[in-house]
Structures are given as C-alpha cells and as structure tokens.
Amino acid sequence: MSNIRRLTKIGLPTLLGISLAWVGNRIIRNEKKLKKRELELKMQLKTKSIKPFN
C-alpha cells in the first residue's frame, strides 16, 4: 500500500513535468521551422517583385 502512495506521490508530478517539457520542446521546434519557412517565402516574394510590371 505504501508503494502505491509513494508511486503516486513521486510518479504523477514527474510524469506531468516530463509531459510539459515535451510540449514546450515541440512548440519551440515548430516555431523554428515556421521562422525558417517564413524567411523562405519572403525571399521568394522579393525575387518575384523585382521584375517590372508592364
């Protein structure tokens, strides 16, 4: 019985902390990918806008 209490006392907060760290890591990784993609799109728009309109 005491093992179950100890497991829930230590295990649940640990599991919650690991889950939050994983979610935070995913958010940061996705933001880096989005920044890179945004720069790629801006570069593509700049090359297209250089052409004169007739």
Side-chain angles (χ1 to χ4, degrees):
M1 191 70 165
S2 66
N3 284 339
I4 294 172
R5 284 188 183 176
R6 194 172 101 196
L7 179 64
T8 57
K9 195 177 203 182
I10 296 171
L12 289 178
T14 302
L15 185 61
L16 180 65
I18 290 171
S19 299
L20 287 175
W22 181 77
V23 169
N25 189 22
R26 294 284 298 187
I27 290 171
I28 290 170
R29 234 185 304 154
N30 285 338
E31 282 190 25
K32 287 179 183 177
K33 288 179 184 177
L34 286 173
K35 276 271 199 222
K36 183 179 176 184
R37 181 66 180 143
E38 182 184 17
L39 286 174
E40 290 173 358
L41 291 173
K42 282 183 180 181
M43 287 175 58
Q44 286 179 359
L45 284 174
K46 283 182 184 178
T47 58
K48 288 182 181 179
S49 65
I50 291 173
K51 298 177 185 175
F53 293 107
N54 291 338

